PDB file of all heavy atoms in Angstrom:
ATOM      1  N   LEU A  62      -1.670   0.210 -50.730  1.00 75.00           N
ATOM      2  CA  LEU A  62      -0.448  -0.374 -51.267  1.00 75.00           C
ATOM      3  C   LEU A  62      -0.626  -1.875 -51.591  1.00 75.00           C
ATOM      4  O   LEU A  62      -0.152  -2.327 -52.661  1.00 75.00           O
ATOM      5  CB  LEU A  62       0.698  -0.201 -50.309  1.00 75.00           C
ATOM      6  CG  LEU A  62       2.073  -0.645 -50.769  1.00 75.00           C
ATOM      7  CD1 LEU A  62       2.469   0.148 -52.026  1.00 75.00           C
ATOM      8  CD2 LEU A  62       3.139  -0.433 -49.700  1.00 75.00           C
ATOM      9  N   PRO A  63      -1.266  -2.710 -50.750  1.00 77.00           N
ATOM     10  CA  PRO A  63      -1.474  -4.128 -51.190  1.00 77.00           C
ATOM     11  C   PRO A  63      -2.254  -4.290 -52.453  1.00 77.00           C
ATOM     12  O   PRO A  63      -1.873  -5.128 -53.319  1.00 77.00           O
ATOM     13  CB  PRO A  63      -2.197  -4.692 -49.960  1.00 77.00           C
ATOM     14  CG  PRO A  63      -1.855  -3.834 -48.842  1.00 77.00           C
ATOM     15  CD  PRO A  63      -1.706  -2.485 -49.425  1.00 77.00           C
ATOM     16  N   ALA A  64      -3.296  -3.475 -52.643  1.00 76.00           N
ATOM     17  CA  ALA A  64      -4.094  -3.571 -53.870  1.00 76.00           C
ATOM     18  C   ALA A  64      -3.261  -3.117 -55.064  1.00 76.00           C
ATOM     19  O   ALA A  64      -3.347  -3.727 -56.147  1.00 76.00           O
ATOM     20  CB  ALA A  64      -5.315  -2.719 -53.729  1.00 76.00           C
ATOM     21  N   ILE A  65      -2.419  -2.071 -54.938  1.00 76.00           N
ATOM     22  CA  ILE A  65      -1.579  -1.613 -55.999  1.00 76.00           C
ATOM     23  C   ILE A  65      -0.575  -2.714 -56.357  1.00 76.00           C
ATOM     24  O   ILE A  65      -0.290  -2.969 -57.536  1.00 76.00           O
ATOM     25  CB  ILE A  65      -0.896  -0.275 -55.607  1.00 76.00           C
ATOM     26  CG1 ILE A  65      -1.921   0.787 -55.466  1.00 76.00           C
ATOM     27  CG2 ILE A  65       0.172   0.069 -56.658  1.00 76.00           C
ATOM     28  CD1 ILE A  65      -1.326   2.118 -54.946  1.00 76.00           C
ATOM     29  N   LEU A  66       0.037  -3.355 -55.354  1.00 75.00           N
ATOM     30  CA  LEU A  66       1.017  -4.371 -55.604  1.00 75.00           C
ATOM     31  C   LEU A  66       0.369  -5.561 -56.335  1.00 75.00           C
ATOM     32  O   LEU A  66       1.016  -6.191 -57.200  1.00 75.00           O
ATOM     33  CB  LEU A  66       1.643  -4.821 -54.256  1.00 75.00           C
ATOM     34  CG  LEU A  66       2.652  -5.975 -54.332  1.00 75.00           C
ATOM     35  CD1 LEU A  66       3.817  -5.553 -55.165  1.00 75.00           C
ATOM     36  CD2 LEU A  66       3.081  -6.403 -52.933  1.00 75.00           C
ATOM     37  N   LEU A  67      -0.844  -5.950 -55.956  1.00 80.00           N
ATOM     38  CA  LEU A  67      -1.489  -7.097 -56.559  1.00 80.00           C
ATOM     39  C   LEU A  67      -2.017  -6.816 -57.927  1.00 80.00           C
ATOM     40  O   LEU A  67      -1.879  -7.644 -58.854  1.00 80.00           O
ATOM     41  CB  LEU A  67      -2.638  -7.581 -55.658  1.00 80.00           C
ATOM     42  CG  LEU A  67      -2.266  -8.165 -54.300  1.00 80.00           C
ATOM     43  CD1 LEU A  67      -3.498  -8.490 -53.491  1.00 80.00           C
ATOM     44  CD2 LEU A  67      -1.459  -9.486 -54.527  1.00 80.00           C
ATOM     45  N   MET A  68      -2.612  -5.709 -58.140  1.00 81.00           N
ATOM     46  CA  MET A  68      -3.369  -5.408 -59.375  1.00 81.00           C
ATOM     47  C   MET A  68      -2.622  -4.546 -60.403  1.00 81.00           C
ATOM     48  O   MET A  68      -3.088  -4.509 -61.540  1.00 81.00           O
ATOM     49  CB  MET A  68      -4.671  -4.694 -59.055  1.00 81.00           C
ATOM     50  CG  MET A  68      -5.585  -5.470 -58.100  1.00 81.00           C
ATOM     51  SD  MET A  68      -6.350  -6.934 -58.907  1.00 81.00           S
ATOM     52  CE  MET A  68      -5.304  -8.233 -58.220  1.00 81.00           C
ATOM     53  N   MET A  69      -1.497  -3.952 -60.074  1.00 84.00           N
ATOM     54  CA  MET A  69      -0.855  -3.040 -61.019  1.00 84.00           C
ATOM     55  C   MET A  69       0.615  -3.355 -61.248  1.00 84.00           C
ATOM     56  O   MET A  69       1.337  -2.545 -61.807  1.00 84.00           O
ATOM     57  CB  MET A  69      -0.996  -1.612 -60.523  1.00 84.00           C
ATOM     58  CG  MET A  69      -2.428  -1.124 -60.350  1.00 84.00           C
ATOM     59  SD  MET A  69      -2.612   0.521 -59.665  1.00 84.00           S
ATOM     60  CE  MET A  69      -1.925   1.534 -61.012  1.00 84.00           C
ATOM     61  N   THR A  70       1.054  -4.553 -60.817  1.00 87.00           N
ATOM     62  CA  THR A  70       2.444  -4.959 -61.023  1.00 87.00           C
ATOM     63  C   THR A  70       2.476  -6.353 -61.573  1.00 87.00           C
ATOM     64  O   THR A  70       1.433  -6.912 -61.955  1.00 87.00           O
ATOM     65  CB  THR A  70       3.258  -4.863 -59.699  1.00 87.00           C
ATOM     66  OG1 THR A  70       2.670  -5.814 -58.786  1.00 87.00           O
ATOM     67  CG2 THR A  70       3.176  -3.484 -59.084  1.00 87.00           C
ATOM     68  N   ALA A  71       3.680  -6.935 -61.636  1.00 88.00           N
ATOM     69  CA  ALA A  71       3.852  -8.279 -62.162  1.00 88.00           C
ATOM     70  C   ALA A  71       3.558  -9.373 -61.171  1.00 88.00           C
ATOM     71  O   ALA A  71       3.667 -10.556 -61.481  1.00 88.00           O
ATOM     72  CB  ALA A  71       5.305  -8.410 -62.637  1.00 88.00           C
ATOM     73  N   PHE A  72       3.100  -9.020 -59.944  1.00 90.00           N
ATOM     74  CA  PHE A  72       2.940  -9.997 -58.915  1.00 90.00           C
ATOM     75  C   PHE A  72       1.886 -11.040 -59.231  1.00 90.00           C
ATOM     76  O   PHE A  72       2.050 -12.211 -58.943  1.00 90.00           O
ATOM     77  CB  PHE A  72       2.584  -9.263 -57.608  1.00 90.00           C
ATOM     78  CG  PHE A  72       2.417 -10.176 -56.389  1.00 90.00           C
ATOM     79  CD1 PHE A  72       3.539 -10.574 -55.706  1.00 90.00           C
ATOM     80  CD2 PHE A  72       1.190 -10.639 -56.011  1.00 90.00           C
ATOM     81  CE1 PHE A  72       3.459 -11.415 -54.623  1.00 90.00           C
ATOM     82  CE2 PHE A  72       1.055 -11.456 -54.915  1.00 90.00           C
ATOM     83  CZ  PHE A  72       2.195 -11.851 -54.217  1.00 90.00           C
ATOM     84  N   THR A  73       0.787 -10.638 -59.862  1.00 90.00           N
ATOM     85  CA  THR A  73      -0.313 -11.562 -60.189  1.00 90.00           C
ATOM     86  C   THR A  73       0.149 -12.683 -61.036  1.00 90.00           C
ATOM     87  O   THR A  73      -0.089 -13.879 -60.773  1.00 90.00           O
ATOM     88  CB  THR A  73      -1.459 -10.845 -60.857  1.00 90.00           C
ATOM     89  OG1 THR A  73      -1.930  -9.786 -59.951  1.00 90.00           O
ATOM     90  CG2 THR A  73      -2.612 -11.766 -61.150  1.00 90.00           C
ATOM     91  N   ARG A  74       0.852 -12.372 -62.138  1.00 91.00           N
ATOM     92  CA  ARG A  74       1.340 -13.440 -63.050  1.00 91.00           C
ATOM     93  C   ARG A  74       2.306 -14.345 -62.382  1.00 91.00           C
ATOM     94  O   ARG A  74       2.259 -15.558 -62.522  1.00 91.00           O
ATOM     95  CB  ARG A  74       1.960 -12.811 -64.313  1.00 91.00           C
ATOM     96  CG  ARG A  74       2.380 -13.840 -65.329  1.00 91.00           C
ATOM     97  CD  ARG A  74       3.230 -13.212 -66.473  1.00 91.00           C
ATOM     98  NE  ARG A  74       2.492 -12.169 -67.130  1.00 91.00           N
ATOM     99  CZ  ARG A  74       2.959 -11.500 -68.189  1.00 91.00           C
ATOM    100  NH1 ARG A  74       4.123 -11.855 -68.707  1.00 91.00           N
ATOM    101  NH2 ARG A  74       2.253 -10.544 -68.749  1.00 91.00           N
ATOM    102  N   VAL A  75       3.255 -13.781 -61.598  1.00 92.00           N
ATOM    103  CA  VAL A  75       4.330 -14.554 -60.975  1.00 92.00           C
ATOM    104  C   VAL A  75       3.746 -15.535 -59.991  1.00 92.00           C
ATOM    105  O   VAL A  75       4.050 -16.748 -59.984  1.00 92.00           O
ATOM    106  CB  VAL A  75       5.335 -13.632 -60.312  1.00 92.00           C
ATOM    107  CG1 VAL A  75       6.370 -14.456 -59.533  1.00 92.00           C
ATOM    108  CG2 VAL A  75       6.042 -12.766 -61.341  1.00 92.00           C
ATOM    109  N   ILE A  76       2.828 -15.062 -59.060  1.00 92.00           N
ATOM    110  CA  ILE A  76       2.355 -15.968 -57.983  1.00 92.00           C
ATOM    111  C   ILE A  76       1.470 -17.035 -58.582  1.00 92.00           C
ATOM    112  O   ILE A  76       1.474 -18.204 -58.116  1.00 92.00           O
ATOM    113  CB  ILE A  76       1.622 -15.109 -56.917  1.00 92.00           C
ATOM    114  CG1 ILE A  76       1.297 -15.962 -55.681  1.00 92.00           C
ATOM    115  CG2 ILE A  76       0.386 -14.467 -57.472  1.00 92.00           C
ATOM    116  CD1 ILE A  76       2.504 -16.524 -54.980  1.00 92.00           C
ATOM    117  N   ILE A  77       0.702 -16.760 -59.622  1.00 92.00           N
ATOM    118  CA  ILE A  77      -0.165 -17.767 -60.235  1.00 92.00           C
ATOM    119  C   ILE A  77       0.665 -18.859 -60.890  1.00 92.00           C
ATOM    120  O   ILE A  77       0.417 -20.051 -60.740  1.00 92.00           O
ATOM    121  CB  ILE A  77      -1.174 -17.129 -61.209  1.00 92.00           C
ATOM    122  CG1 ILE A  77      -2.192 -16.296 -60.416  1.00 92.00           C
ATOM    123  CG2 ILE A  77      -1.849 -18.200 -62.030  1.00 92.00           C
ATOM    124  CD1 ILE A  77      -3.184 -15.559 -61.345  1.00 92.00           C
ATOM    125  N   VAL A  78       1.678 -18.463 -61.637  1.00 92.00           N
ATOM    126  CA  VAL A  78       2.529 -19.442 -62.343  1.00 92.00           C
ATOM    127  C   VAL A  78       3.263 -20.310 -61.341  1.00 92.00           C
ATOM    128  O   VAL A  78       3.336 -21.547 -61.496  1.00 92.00           O
ATOM    129  CB  VAL A  78       3.547 -18.739 -63.265  1.00 92.00           C
ATOM    130  CG1 VAL A  78       4.536 -19.697 -63.815  1.00 92.00           C
ATOM    131  CG2 VAL A  78       2.766 -18.048 -64.413  1.00 92.00           C
ATOM    132  N   LEU A  79       3.773 -19.724 -60.244  1.00 92.00           N
ATOM    133  CA  LEU A  79       4.500 -20.513 -59.246  1.00 92.00           C
ATOM    134  C   LEU A  79       3.547 -21.459 -58.507  1.00 92.00           C
ATOM    135  O   LEU A  79       3.911 -22.578 -58.190  1.00 92.00           O
ATOM    136  CB  LEU A  79       5.214 -19.602 -58.273  1.00 92.00           C
ATOM    137  CG  LEU A  79       6.360 -18.781 -58.836  1.00 92.00           C
ATOM    138  CD1 LEU A  79       7.035 -17.969 -57.727  1.00 92.00           C
ATOM    139  CD2 LEU A  79       7.430 -19.683 -59.507  1.00 92.00           C
ATOM    140  N   SER A  80       2.340 -21.018 -58.256  1.00 91.00           N
ATOM    141  CA  SER A  80       1.339 -21.892 -57.610  1.00 91.00           C
ATOM    142  C   SER A  80       0.924 -23.067 -58.495  1.00 91.00           C
ATOM    143  O   SER A  80       0.803 -24.200 -58.045  1.00 91.00           O
ATOM    144  CB  SER A  80       0.107 -21.107 -57.234  1.00 91.00           C
ATOM    145  OG  SER A  80       0.417 -20.036 -56.359  1.00 91.00           O
TER     146      SER A  80
END
Side-chain angles (χ1 to χ4, degrees):
L62 187 60
I65 294 174
L66 178 63
L67 290 175
M68 300 289 103
M69 301 177 66
T70 64
F72 183 82
T73 301
R74 184 188 303 185
V75 174
I76 190 61
I77 290 177
V78 171
L79 293 182
S80 300

